[in-house]
Amino acid sequence: MRFLFFFSLLLFLSCNTSTKTEKKELKTSVSKNDTIQSYTAEEIKLETLRSWEAYKKYAWGYDVLLPLSKSGYNWYKESLGISPFDAYSTLAVMGLTKEAKEIEEYALSKDWNQDVYVQVFEVNIRILGGLLAIYDHTQNPKILEKAIDFADRLLPAFNSPTGMPYHSVNLKTGKTSGNQGEGKGNVVNVAQAATYLFEFGILSYYAKDPKYYQAAKKATKAVFSRKSEIGLPGDFIDVESGKWTNNWHYLQAGVDSYYEYMFKSNFLFPDPEIKEIWEYSLGKINKYLAEDYNGKRFYTCVNMHTGEVVKRSVSLYDAFFPAVQALHGDLENAEKNMETWDWIWNKYGLLPTRYLYEKDAIEYANSELNPEIIESAYYLHQITGKEKYINMIYKYWNDLKLCCRNDVAFHSIENVSTMEKKDYLATFFYAETLKYFYVAVADKDLFDFNDYVFNTEAHPFKRNHFDPEKAKEYLGIE
Ligand code: DMJ
């Protein structure tokens, strides 16, 4: 009865208010509703299929689906077809074999000899990561050839005086370009400088050629060796001079996956040097970035030289960190950190891109349905078995469905306070967001958490495909 009344109220609100108010009311109703509505793996699978059909119908051949205008969008002057590479592993994990096979065939038809400058960081995690996930799943040697061809076109970017890659590289000519275009700017952020250990390690393993892992390791060490006197890196660095151009440090986008990879690559390819770098870095994160503020745990922004707080701000990307802490075995900090993210979600019904916790205010209000908070709740649920984490995931799904589901797929949000819509569906929605919702409730015989390690784009790799002894030889680990 209460449910019927609640449902009629929602219907009344949705028919009698402007679009913006309607979304706000709907969203608030769900976040404050005590009754947690669960969902099934089948529901997520159907929603994934629906969203994938929308990409195929309206945006096939483009990088991204624009779900409101029902059209496609390319990152560069030519399409790379990023969505299919990101979607493959999610479709495969869900057993959508026909759709996955179509992408495998599409990947085989790709000619990477494209005269286009691509961001090395972004295409590494999405396209190389996606190709390697297809290979890990199918063992199709022709896919491995495609992955090798693609990675060989990225490698010239690493020929800088420091070993850190230039921002972009031309897939056809191998010419590099800076962050301000051809021949302009040599600055990259830390994530762009050093998020390669995982994919390049996998490629070295499968290709039995250490050159990829060694390039990635050199880049990671180039960042680490330039740490300050108190042991912290900055956030932006010139890949030619090796000098920091900005001296802030944090876990946000621009740094995040630098840490994620020095930690995670060790699961597949134990490397004592990288392990030492990770343990040292984690100590510094706990010492300088962790801040308890108004009873909540935040990981803040500090000056790399003094460790002083420069801004009390967090971004939704940082929500990946409880997952890393939990995997590392630091459940106490992981759970404190997760509680803060869930608290921010409850304020808005989705996470804003950036939140100023000192002012309790939104800094950037948009949201692209990013996966990190779901990812961390998933890891914590798998590792602790606590029901509160699966309940968080149920809530995230219900809220996301209410604000962002449309007639063909899902859309982003311009402003989480008003729920104004944005005509964009990020490729990581297919790779990560939908996958985490699915594996959180899937049967263990369909997907067992203990069997896989994910790249930062949630492309899964089977642990037992990699033998640590062989890894030493194939990756050149001493
Ligand atoms: C993803 O593309 C990757 O996880 C990346 O490392 C940072 N975050 C986005 C999604 O939010």
Side-chain angles (χ1 to χ4, degrees):
M1 193 64 198
R2 251 187 79 215
F3 175 75
L4 253 183
F5 169 72
F6 180 68
F7 184 72
S8 319
L9 183 68
L10 286 184
L11 210 63
F12 172 79
L13 286 169
S14 65
C15 297
N16 288 278
T17 50
S18 72
T19 312
K20 281 183 188 175
T21 325
E22 167 201 334
K23 284 295 173 195
K24 200 165 182 189
E25 293 297 335
L26 283 169
K27 170 191 70 127
T28 312
S29 305
V30 165
S31 291
K32 293 200 173 144
N33 185 8
D34 290 339
T35 325
I36 305 281
Q37 277 192 334
S38 60
Y39 64 79
T40 61
E42 191 56 24
E43 178 181 349
I44 306 295
K45 186 171 166 177
L46 290 174
E47 286 295 339
T48 303
L49 192 56
R50 193 179 74 89
S51 306
W52 183 242
E53 294 293 343
Y55 169 80
K56 287 207 297 187
K57 183 164 179 194
Y58 301 111
W60 183 258
Y62 288 87
D63 289 324
V64 174
L65 167 69
L66 302 181
L68 300 179
S69 57
K70 301 186 174 56
S71 55
Y73 169 81
N74 287 333
W75 281 19
Y76 308 108
K77 64 174 185 173
E78 278 180 37
S79 170
L80 300 175
I82 302 173
S83 282
F85 290 102
D86 253 359
Y88 174 88
S89 63
T90 297
L91 298 170
V93 160
M94 292 179 182
L96 292 164
T97 42
K98 180 172 91 52
E99 288 72 17
K101 188 74 191 162
E102 277 167 12
I103 298 176
E104 186 185 344
E105 275 154 21
Y106 170 73
L108 291 173
S109 74
K110 282 297 284 186
D111 179 358
W112 293 119
N113 200 33
Q114 290 180 260
D115 188 8
V116 56
Y117 283 90
V118 299
Q119 257 206 63
V120 182
F121 165 81
E122 295 292 357
V123 301
N124 172 56
I125 63 174
R126 299 177 203 229
I127 296 183
L128 184 59
L131 278 166
L132 291 169
I134 302 178
Y135 181 67
D136 202 64
H137 195 71
T138 61
Q139 302 289 306
N140 178 346
K142 292 210 158 27
I143 290 288
L144 182 58
E145 281 170 28
K146 288 284 173 191
I148 292 172
D149 179 36
F150 189 75
D152 285 345
R153 293 169 190 275
L154 300 186
L155 276 184
F158 291 77
N159 290 334
S160 72
T162 59
M164 290 181 275
Y166 288 92
H167 182 270
S168 298
V169 66
N170 185 300
L171 288 178
K172 182 174 184 170
T173 63
K175 280 195 196 160
T176 56
S177 133
N179 59 336
Q180 293 152 36
E182 280 174 61
K184 285 189 268 165
N186 296 316
V187 175
V188 295
N189 65 40
V190 164
Q192 290 163 344
T195 302
Y196 305 95
L197 288 169
F198 198 81
E199 292 80 8
F200 281 30
I202 289 169
L203 188 58
S204 277
Y205 190 93
Y206 280 139
K208 301 187 177 58
D209 184 344
K211 74 177 173 198
Y212 306 104
Y213 183 74
Q214 290 304 321
K217 187 168 169 178
K218 188 172 174 194
T220 296
K221 285 171 74 176
V223 171
F224 181 70
S225 66
R226 288 171 173 82
K227 62 190 179 300
S228 69
E229 48 290 9
I230 62 167
L232 294 175
D235 54 352
F236 287 92
I237 192 158
D238 186 311
V239 302
E240 289 200 342
S241 67
K243 298 238 180 313
W244 295 105
T245 61
N246 201 48
N247 60 17
W248 285 21
H249 193 61
Y250 41 74
L251 291 182
Q252 302 184 11
V255 175
D256 49 5
S257 43
Y258 163 65
Y259 288 127
E260 184 182 351
Y261 274 20
M262 69 170 75
F263 171 60
K264 272 190 182 173
S265 64
N266 275 290
F267 279 99
L268 299 183
F269 314 118
D271 182 332
E273 258 188 292
I274 297 296
K275 188 163 183 271
E276 200 181 320
I277 290 177
W278 161 246
E279 277 163 4
Y280 178 95
S281 302
L282 183 61
K284 299 297 174 185
I285 292 172
N286 287 334
K287 179 164 179 189
Y288 292 110
L289 301 189
E291 180 180 50
D292 290 325
Y293 194 85
N294 282 344
K296 298 263 172 309
R297 165 60 57 82
F298 293 93
Y299 288 80
T300 195
C301 305
V302 302
N303 179 300
M304 70 183 277
H305 300 292
T306 63
E308 279 164 19
V309 177
V310 287
K311 192 177 185 181
R312 291 200 159 84
S313 150
V314 287
S315 80
L316 53 75
Y317 304 97
D318 328 5
F320 82 101
F321 202 58
V324 168
Q325 291 172 307
L327 263 185
H328 180 78
D330 181 3
L331 282 176
E332 194 187 332
N333 283 317
E335 295 200 73
K336 272 192 197 165
N337 193 358
M338 187 67 217
E339 210 180 292
T340 305
W341 287 110
D342 190 55
W343 173 79
I344 302 175
W345 180 287
N346 287 337
K347 274 174 173 298
Y348 303 106
L350 267 188
L351 292 181
T353 291
R354 208 176 277 188
Y355 170 71
L356 290 163
Y357 62 90
E358 188 165 21
K359 298 189 177 151
D360 188 16
I362 291 176
E363 192 179 2
Y364 296 133
N366 63 309
S367 167
E368 293 195 342
L369 316 187
N370 305 65
E372 287 80 0
I373 190 170
I374 310 150
E375 171 183 1
S376 281
Y378 167 64
Y379 278 84
L380 276 163
H381 182 237
Q382 294 294 322
I383 292 169
T384 68
K386 291 184 186 168
E387 211 185 331
K388 68 176 177 182
Y389 295 117
I390 194 66
N391 286 338
M392 284 179 193
I393 297 176
Y394 290 151
K395 175 181 62 190
Y396 302 154
W397 172 247
N398 285 313
D399 284 357
L400 194 139
K401 239 184 359 181
L402 273 180
C403 40
C404 309
R405 185 182 189 274
N406 79 341
D407 55 334
V408 297
F410 290 79
H411 57 79
S412 300
I413 291 291
E414 207 69 69
N415 185 329
V416 297
S417 302
T418 61
M419 290 296 162
E420 185 189 337
K421 300 171 183 175
K422 183 177 171 186
D423 191 12
Y424 197 82
L425 186 57
T427 72
F428 55 69
F429 183 73
Y430 292 111
E432 300 191 69
T433 312
L434 288 167
K435 188 184 285 117
Y436 286 121
F437 279 129
Y438 179 81
V439 294
V441 295
D443 283 350
K444 265 201 168 25
D445 51 340
L446 289 180
F447 191 89
D448 189 337
F449 172 79
N450 296 306
D451 291 345
Y452 294 91
V453 186
F454 290 109
N455 86 336
T456 189
E457 198 74 356
H459 294 306
F461 293 89
K462 265 215 149 154
R463 287 175 189 243
N464 67 9
H465 286 178
F466 304 94
D467 175 324
E469 278 312 304
K470 286 187 186 153
K472 280 189 193 159
E473 184 193 335
Y474 300 160
L475 276 67
I477 297 171
E478 281 158 21

